[in-house]
Amino acid sequence: MTVTDTETAARRITTAKAMAEGIGLEMRRDPDVFVMGEDVGAYGGIFGSTTDLFGEFGADRVIDTPISETGFIGAGIGAAVEGMRPVVELMFVDFYGVCMDQIDNNMAKIHYFSGGNVKVPMVLMTAAGGGYSDAGQHSQTLWGTFAHLPGMKVVVPSNPYDAKGLMISAIRDDNPVLYIFHKGVLGLGWMTNNPRATGHVPEDPYTVPIGKAAIAREGTDVTVATISLSVHRALDAADELEKEGISIEVLDLRSLVPLDREAILDSVRKTHRLLVVDEDYQSFGMTGEVITTAVEGAFDYLDAPPARIAIPDVPIPYSRVLEQFVLPDADKIVAGVKSLLTA
Amino acid sequence: MNQFNRLDSYKEMVRIRQYESRILQEYHADKQPAWDIGAGLIPGEMHLAAGQEPAAVGVCAHLKKGDAITAPHRPHHFALAHGVDMKAMTAEIYGRDSGLCRGKGGHMHLFDPENHFSCSGIIAQGYPVACGQAFAFKRRSTDNVAVAVAGEGAANQGAFHEALNLAALWSLPVIFVIEDNDWAISVPKSHSTATASNADRAAGYGIPGVRVENNDVEAIFEAAGAAVDRARAGEGPSLIEIHTLRLWGHFEGDAQAYRGAELETVDERDPIPRYAKSLVDLGELTEDQIVTIAAAADAEVDAAIQFAVSSPEPKPQDALLHVFA
């Protein structure tokens, strides 16, 4: 997709709608695809990820579950090893605590344990992210936690086009795919309006490859590597910086596993400066991994020590002033870029 | 067992209802015209307990200083009935520095160690914690008890079942309370739970289980009294399922289309006007008292909201405090 396509094409939908559309297309194509989770039926998913699917496919294929995440994620694994392609929703990624054994010790390890003999073609989709004062059990991103654990792909779309194409790729993938959508990129009517959450999406099925980063905006002075809602923040920062004659390249990683290390290195070789922005906890996470990639693979190209902006290793606080202090935003990215340029 | 006091119970239910009604009003007041869940003086998700007052009042009437409660994401009624300071709680909901948790927790994460009260946004998370509090009370030879509260949807969580087994095994002074308001967000109990009554599940752990119908504060008081007495006497845990009513949405902004015709009758089932009428019929409440009781509750709520909005916000950098002791 080019920027021109986005701006001129008539059919514009939200990221949430694009996800649901991707699932629906795969359900039409493949009778083994089904959806289950809490409130995915008549409600359409708390975050709209299954909008209209219940009406089309009915309760046999769009299944409301009890609040039993260990039970229904485990059941998803079971259906997947028997060759079905479940799309299972964990309502908030924060709820991983009640079901992590099935996710990490089971879903992610079966293929390896079986010596490659058993596949788990399952999508676990889940909502993430803060910025609306939902406090520390409903506002985390946690993608770095999952990416740390071998055996599952971790996909994190930032826009409607990618959301649909990555969802279709995830469903067709023979591996377990954790598909994390930030609430702030979905275009939900009850969240702060985000123009970047609506965009051109073709009606037909298409795939976006898992493991390929996208250059969301080309630039020359600093690479800003990021993911999900922070791509929007970086694009906002890019608009500001452009007024001052500073050109940043915004790299949308799109997935953490696989991580497109070549794309990171290519961009750093071009700009010679790297800022990594992440709405996840700072230590032992994505920012460290991306910076390490640059240091290991493009050390000689770096004109300044790489920098990062992430959650400063505290739980997400409730009060707006406290939460905004810890979240990345465009102003912090602008300041981070300028600091890199004077380093 | 404590004697039931009808007028006090009515007053407490009204106090909670006036609180929830005002929070409802204040929550929505500055989110117009464009609905934005994160906007306004009270941001974030809001789960209000209107219709569930009988559960909190009937249970908490038996509790004394030192007794503990772990409440779920819909906590205000149990917090207020258990003596959590309304001003400090309200300031927390407004994200203020004077709040119970200095603005860090918000409405789903209220911690009041003085009253041994806590709540959580994770379903059934408080059930095992109540076991630990009860363990401490028992080990210290007090007769305090711990009350674990969760919705009927929580009875399908692993933590629920593990906690029941643990409490039964160790004969802990715990009262497990299930508030069955028929709905786990949009999923009705009939679509989520294999048994009609969660009270039946108590048998699997060898403990008493009762289900209280009709959202009746007096019947709840009776059932809770038996469970609290049993726990204080060192005879172990009990399970009480209370059939109650979610008068409003799961969260504020929930259009509740999924409730269909059932939604049309919620007002008829509102337990507070119903209880007022029964007390008037008994001659224990007058129409004048109905007005003055509501006015007194309003005044207390007004003062709490005034305290909250006039309290300073936390300093932004205080976000970095309190990760470790």
Short mmCIF file of all heavy atoms in Angstrom, two decimals, chain B residues 2 23 44 60 65 80 101 106 138 143 152 174 182 203 210 213 217 223 232 240 244 254 258 277 282 289 294 296:
data_model
loop_
_atom_site.label_atom_id
_atom_site.label_comp_id
_atom_site.label_asym_id
_atom_site.label_seq_id
_atom_site.Cartn_x
_atom_site.Cartn_y
_atom_site.Cartn_z
N ASN B 2 -26.28 -11.12 64.61
CA ASN B 2 -26.77 -9.75 64.81
C ASN B 2 -28.28 -9.69 64.58
O ASN B 2 -28.82 -10.47 63.82
CB ASN B 2 -26.12 -8.81 63.80
CG ASN B 2 -24.67 -8.55 64.14
OD1 ASN B 2 -24.23 -8.85 65.23
ND2 ASN B 2 -23.94 -7.99 63.19
N ILE B 23 -22.32 9.39 40.97
CA ILE B 23 -21.13 9.05 40.18
C ILE B 23 -21.53 8.88 38.71
O ILE B 23 -20.85 9.34 37.80
CB ILE B 23 -20.44 7.79 40.73
CG1 ILE B 23 -19.89 8.04 42.14
CG2 ILE B 23 -19.32 7.33 39.80
CD1 ILE B 23 -18.74 9.03 42.23
N GLY B 44 -11.93 6.63 32.43
CA GLY B 44 -11.76 5.18 32.51
C GLY B 44 -13.08 4.44 32.58
O GLY B 44 -14.15 5.01 32.48
N CYS B 60 -22.63 -7.12 54.89
CA CYS B 60 -21.75 -6.29 55.72
C CYS B 60 -22.37 -5.97 57.09
O CYS B 60 -21.64 -5.59 58.01
CB CYS B 60 -21.39 -5.00 54.99
SG CYS B 60 -20.33 -5.30 53.56
N LYS B 65 -15.01 -4.64 62.96
CA LYS B 65 -13.65 -4.14 62.76
C LYS B 65 -12.69 -5.33 62.62
O LYS B 65 -12.73 -6.28 63.41
CB LYS B 65 -13.25 -3.30 63.97
CG LYS B 65 -11.97 -2.51 63.79
CD LYS B 65 -12.22 -1.27 62.97
CE LYS B 65 -10.90 -0.54 62.69
NZ LYS B 65 -11.04 0.44 61.61
N LEU B 80 -18.55 0.89 50.52
CA LEU B 80 -19.29 1.81 51.39
C LEU B 80 -19.93 1.07 52.56
O LEU B 80 -19.88 1.53 53.70
CB LEU B 80 -20.35 2.56 50.57
CG LEU B 80 -19.79 3.56 49.54
CD1 LEU B 80 -20.92 4.09 48.65
CD2 LEU B 80 -19.07 4.71 50.23
N CYS B 101 -5.64 5.70 47.23
CA CYS B 101 -4.42 5.12 46.65
C CYS B 101 -3.59 6.18 45.93
O CYS B 101 -2.85 5.87 45.00
CB CYS B 101 -4.79 4.01 45.68
SG CYS B 101 -5.96 2.81 46.35
N GLY B 106 -7.56 3.92 41.21
CA GLY B 106 -8.82 4.18 40.55
C GLY B 106 -9.94 3.28 41.05
O GLY B 106 -9.78 2.52 42.00
N LYS B 138 -6.96 -16.66 61.42
CA LYS B 138 -7.03 -17.92 62.17
C LYS B 138 -5.72 -18.17 62.92
O LYS B 138 -5.72 -18.52 64.10
CB LYS B 138 -7.34 -19.06 61.19
CG LYS B 138 -7.53 -20.41 61.85
CD LYS B 138 -7.95 -21.45 60.81
CE LYS B 138 -8.05 -22.81 61.50
NZ LYS B 138 -8.54 -23.85 60.59
N ASP B 143 -11.20 -13.83 65.86
CA ASP B 143 -12.41 -14.43 65.27
C ASP B 143 -12.85 -13.64 64.04
O ASP B 143 -14.01 -13.70 63.64
CB ASP B 143 -13.54 -14.54 66.29
CG ASP B 143 -14.13 -13.19 66.66
OD1 ASP B 143 -13.48 -12.15 66.37
OD2 ASP B 143 -15.24 -13.17 67.23
N GLU B 152 -21.38 -13.85 39.22
CA GLU B 152 -21.64 -15.25 38.86
C GLU B 152 -20.71 -15.71 37.74
O GLU B 152 -20.39 -16.90 37.66
CB GLU B 152 -23.11 -15.47 38.52
CG GLU B 152 -23.52 -15.23 37.07
CD GLU B 152 -23.49 -13.77 36.66
OE1 GLU B 152 -23.49 -12.90 37.53
OE2 GLU B 152 -23.47 -13.51 35.43
N VAL B 174 -13.89 -18.07 55.85
CA VAL B 174 -14.18 -17.30 54.65
C VAL B 174 -15.66 -17.43 54.31
O VAL B 174 -16.24 -18.51 54.43
CB VAL B 174 -13.37 -17.82 53.44
CG1 VAL B 174 -13.58 -16.89 52.23
CG2 VAL B 174 -11.89 -17.93 53.75
N ASP B 182 -27.15 -12.10 36.71
CA ASP B 182 -27.62 -12.71 35.46
C ASP B 182 -26.69 -12.51 34.27
O ASP B 182 -26.78 -13.26 33.30
CB ASP B 182 -29.03 -12.23 35.05
CG ASP B 182 -30.11 -12.63 36.04
OD1 ASP B 182 -30.01 -13.73 36.61
OD2 ASP B 182 -31.04 -11.83 36.23
N ALA B 203 -21.14 -28.18 47.32
CA ALA B 203 -21.15 -29.60 47.72
C ALA B 203 -19.87 -30.30 47.26
O ALA B 203 -19.38 -31.22 47.94
CB ALA B 203 -22.38 -30.28 47.13
N VAL B 210 -25.68 -21.92 49.80
CA VAL B 210 -27.09 -21.53 49.72
C VAL B 210 -27.25 -20.49 48.62
O VAL B 210 -26.34 -19.72 48.33
CB VAL B 210 -27.64 -20.93 51.04
CG1 VAL B 210 -27.62 -21.96 52.14
CG2 VAL B 210 -26.88 -19.69 51.44
N GLU B 213 -32.76 -15.99 46.74
CA GLU B 213 -33.50 -15.43 45.61
C GLU B 213 -34.04 -14.05 45.93
O GLU B 213 -34.04 -13.61 47.08
CB GLU B 213 -34.68 -16.36 45.26
CG GLU B 213 -34.26 -17.76 44.79
CD GLU B 213 -33.57 -17.77 43.43
OE1 GLU B 213 -33.51 -16.71 42.76
OE2 GLU B 213 -33.07 -18.85 43.03
N VAL B 217 -32.91 -8.15 50.92
CA VAL B 217 -31.87 -7.82 51.89
C VAL B 217 -32.03 -8.62 53.19
O VAL B 217 -31.04 -9.00 53.82
CB VAL B 217 -31.81 -6.30 52.14
CG1 VAL B 217 -33.07 -5.79 52.85
CG2 VAL B 217 -30.56 -5.92 52.95
N ALA B 223 -28.89 -15.44 55.53
CA ALA B 223 -27.92 -16.40 54.97
C ALA B 223 -26.50 -16.03 55.35
O ALA B 223 -25.68 -16.88 55.73
CB ALA B 223 -28.08 -16.46 53.45
N ARG B 232 -16.83 -17.60 62.25
CA ARG B 232 -16.28 -17.10 63.52
C ARG B 232 -16.11 -18.22 64.54
O ARG B 232 -15.23 -18.17 65.39
CB ARG B 232 -17.19 -16.02 64.11
CG ARG B 232 -17.22 -14.71 63.34
CD ARG B 232 -17.55 -13.53 64.24
NE ARG B 232 -18.10 -12.40 63.47
CZ ARG B 232 -17.35 -11.58 62.72
NH1 ARG B 232 -16.04 -11.76 62.65
NH2 ARG B 232 -17.90 -10.59 62.05
N ILE B 240 -22.35 -18.41 49.42
CA ILE B 240 -23.70 -17.84 49.28
C ILE B 240 -23.82 -17.25 47.88
O ILE B 240 -23.02 -16.39 47.50
CB ILE B 240 -23.96 -16.70 50.30
CG1 ILE B 240 -23.74 -17.19 51.72
CG2 ILE B 240 -25.37 -16.14 50.13
CD1 ILE B 240 -23.71 -16.05 52.74
N THR B 244 -29.21 -11.21 42.33
CA THR B 244 -29.37 -9.77 42.44
C THR B 244 -29.67 -9.18 41.08
O THR B 244 -30.11 -9.91 40.17
CB THR B 244 -28.12 -9.17 43.14
OG1 THR B 244 -28.33 -7.79 43.40
CG2 THR B 244 -26.86 -9.35 42.33
N ASP B 254 -22.28 1.15 28.12
CA ASP B 254 -22.75 -0.13 27.59
C ASP B 254 -24.21 0.05 27.15
O ASP B 254 -25.08 0.31 27.97
CB ASP B 254 -22.64 -1.17 28.72
CG ASP B 254 -23.15 -2.54 28.33
OD1 ASP B 254 -23.59 -2.71 27.18
OD2 ASP B 254 -23.10 -3.45 29.18
N TYR B 258 -27.99 -6.39 24.06
CA TYR B 258 -28.07 -7.84 24.26
C TYR B 258 -29.08 -8.25 25.32
O TYR B 258 -29.44 -9.42 25.40
CB TYR B 258 -26.68 -8.37 24.64
CG TYR B 258 -26.05 -7.65 25.80
CD1 TYR B 258 -26.34 -7.98 27.11
CD2 TYR B 258 -25.15 -6.59 25.58
CE1 TYR B 258 -25.78 -7.29 28.17
CE2 TYR B 258 -24.59 -5.89 26.63
CZ TYR B 258 -24.90 -6.24 27.93
OH TYR B 258 -24.35 -5.56 28.98
N LYS B 277 -41.39 0.35 50.01
CA LYS B 277 -42.84 0.09 50.06
C LYS B 277 -43.17 -0.92 51.16
O LYS B 277 -44.12 -0.74 51.92
CB LYS B 277 -43.32 -0.41 48.71
CG LYS B 277 -44.82 -0.65 48.67
CD LYS B 277 -45.30 -1.05 47.28
CE LYS B 277 -46.83 -1.20 47.24
NZ LYS B 277 -47.37 -2.04 48.32
N LEU B 282 -45.35 -1.87 56.51
CA LEU B 282 -45.17 -2.38 57.87
C LEU B 282 -45.29 -1.27 58.92
O LEU B 282 -45.24 -1.54 60.13
CB LEU B 282 -43.78 -3.02 58.02
CG LEU B 282 -43.57 -4.41 57.41
CD1 LEU B 282 -42.09 -4.76 57.43
CD2 LEU B 282 -44.37 -5.46 58.19
N GLN B 289 -39.87 10.25 55.79
CA GLN B 289 -38.54 9.67 56.03
C GLN B 289 -37.83 9.29 54.73
O GLN B 289 -36.61 9.42 54.62
CB GLN B 289 -38.66 8.43 56.92
CG GLN B 289 -38.77 8.75 58.40
CD GLN B 289 -38.96 7.47 59.20
OE1 GLN B 289 -39.91 6.72 58.96
NE2 GLN B 289 -38.05 7.22 60.12
N ALA B 294 -33.04 10.16 51.82
CA ALA B 294 -32.37 10.42 50.54
C ALA B 294 -31.60 11.73 50.60
O ALA B 294 -30.47 11.82 50.09
CB ALA B 294 -33.39 10.44 49.41
N ALA B 296 -30.29 13.17 53.25
CA ALA B 296 -29.10 13.01 54.08
C ALA B 296 -27.99 12.30 53.29
O ALA B 296 -26.81 12.67 53.36
CB ALA B 296 -29.44 12.22 55.34
#
